[in-house]
């Protein structure tokens, strides 16, 4: 009976170690991200590392009468002397849909990102701040800088 209890305890601790990443790095994180520019927009955000230095980031963004999907490929690098802190840079794209008021349209844009990503040691929490130059091609040409802030749960 003691062996079964010990085995269950080891399995429980092992599961929690995998489910909640408390190291200074992570493989996948999910949470919320908001962008701040001429108007704010936010939504659900996921980041997944393909290798230790490359990641894919995707968002479902919502605003009044607007919905967008974005995807970004990122290259990451460590910042010496700052455990858990990385810089990142990369290209991406955005597809948005505006509805309501008889003004339905589809938005397409290319974007870049430059930012900092921090994973708290001892907690499954990740935060990121980035700047995103965005070129919109449809329905009209436009250029904008957006600042992004993400809070995510790391696995």
């Amino acid at each position: 009976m003691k062996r079964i209890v010990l085995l269950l305890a080891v399995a429980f601790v092992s599961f929690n170690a995998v489910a909640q990443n408390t190291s200074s790095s992570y493989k996948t994180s999910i949470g919320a991200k908001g962008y701040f520019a001429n108007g704010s927009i936010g939504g659900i955000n996921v980041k997944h590392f393909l290798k230790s230095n490359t990641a894919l980031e995707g968002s479902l963004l919502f605003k009044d009468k607007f919905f967008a999907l974005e995807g970004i490929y990122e290259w990451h690098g460590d910042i010496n002397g700052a455990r858990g802190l990385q810089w990142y840079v990369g290209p991406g794209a955005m597809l948005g849909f505006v509805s309501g008021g008889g003004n339905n349209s589809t938005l397409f844009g290319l974007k870049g990102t430059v930012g900092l990503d921090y994973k708290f040691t001892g907690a499954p929490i990740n935060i990121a701040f980035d700047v995103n130059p965005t070129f919109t091609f449809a329905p009209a040409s436009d250029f904008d800088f957006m600042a992004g802030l993400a809070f995510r749960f790391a696995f």
Side-chain angles (χ1 to χ4, degrees), residues 22-84:
T22 58
S23 71
S24 63
S25 64
Y26 64 97
K27 181 78 172 170
T28 302
S29 62
I30 185 167
K33 185 168 188 176
Y35 287 107
F36 311 97
N38 294 334
S40 298
I41 186 170
I44 300 167
N45 179 264
V46 176
K47 182 182 268 192
H48 178 74
F49 279 85
L50 304 171
K51 296 180 182 175
S52 64
N53 65 341
T54 59
L56 291 175
E57 183 175 345
S59 297
L60 283 148
L61 303 168
F62 307 94
K63 189 177 177 177
D64 185 40
K65 300 179 183 177
F66 181 75
F67 167 77
L69 299 166
E70 74 171 4
I72 303 170
Y73 184 85
E74 299 169 349
W75 292 277
H76 283 249
D78 292 329
I79 296 177
N80 292 333
R83 185 175 168 187

Side-chain angles (χ1 to χ4, degrees), residues 96-121:
F97 305 95
V98 180
S99 64
N103 185 20
N104 296 343
S105 62
T106 302
L107 177 136
F108 177 73
L110 297 177
K111 67 187 305 178
T113 190
V114 175
L116 295 172
D117 185 281
Y118 183 70
K119 166 63 178 70
F120 288 90
T121 303

